[in-house]
Amino acid sequence: MTEPISWTPIKEFKEILFTQFGGIAKISINRPQVHNAFTPLTVQEMIDAMRICQDRTDIGVIILTGEGGRAFCSGGDQSVRGHGGYVGEDTVPRLNVLELQKIIRSIPKPVIAMVAGWAIGGGHVLHVVCDLSIAADNARFGQTGPNVGSFDGGFGASYLARVVGQKKAREIWFLCDQYDAQEALDMGLVNKVVPLDKLEETTVAWCHKILQKSPLSLRMLKSSFNAELDGQAGIQELAGNATLLYYLSDEAKEGRNAYMEKRQPDFSKFPKFP
Ligand code: S0N
């Protein structure tokens, strides 16, 4: 028998819910009245939550979602869009969702978008940059930039094209059509489509499968997928993981120990692998 899903709070925020169930963290935009459109504060809170997930060694996988069952996220909140960005209480215009996109891609743990309802505009880009996307049968996907005077020429264009191909990505942006869950599955935009009432159960089941896998192996794989696409930043990520693994070895520890003991290191006993 499977354990009932029970989320416990990790930290209180104003515009997101941040909870966990065992090794699974869930970050959920809590603005259903505007289809989970994000403000600079929503984004900053998601960044803070992601950072906590990165640091917590008991968290192995992260679900990104939106409250209410009618929307994953409808992008930037147009009511706070000002001169040069989205404006928060400090009156400074920001485009901080770009920072969040980078964190989702580089955090060394799988991030799964759990999509019910609308994933539109900047909200669509958020699911695109997640490692996996599981959609409810009521999910609808699309970009709106050329309709509302915005565009995402970063991951929102280039990574989308890697996912669905150049022709389809250009269609998505140039026509601003909306695509249902089955169409999204057919174009490789999502991994699975399930009935809305099975969305969380299925996502948690995928998380549990992932949690049974080797965390270092998953970490290396995520950075390997990124390295091919992300140039020097991608290589830095992959190389950082190589350093992490090297630090775990007796060979690397000999170097540190010799330095601390003010002696010459003796690397002679370590094999020179073919
Ligand atoms: C999703 C849509 C199609 C749903 O239509 P539906 O079901 O008819 O619902 P509505 O009645 O339209 O919506 C319900 C209520 O929610 C409000 N609302 C919905 N979306 C937003 C939004 N994005 N901002 C503010 N309010 C929103 C509605 O107004 C309504 O409220 P009431 O009941 O009070 O009238 C439909 O809602 C829709 O088309 N929404 C807008 C989608 C959109 O255009 N989003 C913005 C797209 N642009 C971005 O996301 C910017 C990209 C971005 O963030 C970025 C990119 C690159 C570099 C930087 C950035 C950056 O900005 O940081």
Side-chain angles (χ1 to χ4, degrees), residues 33-35 37-38 74-78 86 95-98 118 120-122 144 148 150-152 178:
Q33 70 282 7
V34 285
H35 285 330
F38 55 75
S74 62
D77 187 324
Q78 298 305 292
Y86 294 86
L95 299 172
N96 58 350
V97 77
L98 299 176
W118 297 104
I120 289 281
T144 62
V148 295
S150 93
F151 66 93
D152 183 338
Q178 292 160 357

Side-chain angles (χ1 to χ4, degrees), residues 77-91:
D77 187 324
Q78 298 305 292
S79 72
V80 299
R81 181 172 148 191
H83 192 58
Y86 294 86
V87 180
E89 279 181 4
D90 62 4
T91 73

Side-chain angles (χ1 to χ4, degrees), residues 15 27-32 34-38 42 46 50 63-75 100 104 111-130 132-136 138-141 196 199:
E15 298 191 354
I27 299 171
S28 188
I29 303 174
N30 191 18
R31 308 186 75 231
V34 285
H35 285 330
N36 295 316
F38 55 75
T42 326
M46 286 194 275
M50 283 286 172
I63 297 173
L64 184 64
T65 192
E67 288 299 298
R70 292 176 57 227
F72 170 76
C73 176
S74 62
L100 175 63
I104 292 171
V111 183
I112 303 182
M114 183 168 83
V115 182
W118 297 104
I120 289 281
H124 186 253
V125 178
L126 283 182
H127 107 83
V128 168
V129 299
C130 288
L132 301 168
S133 296
I134 302 181
N138 74 338
R140 289 187 75 81
F141 301 85
L196 178 59
L199 180 61

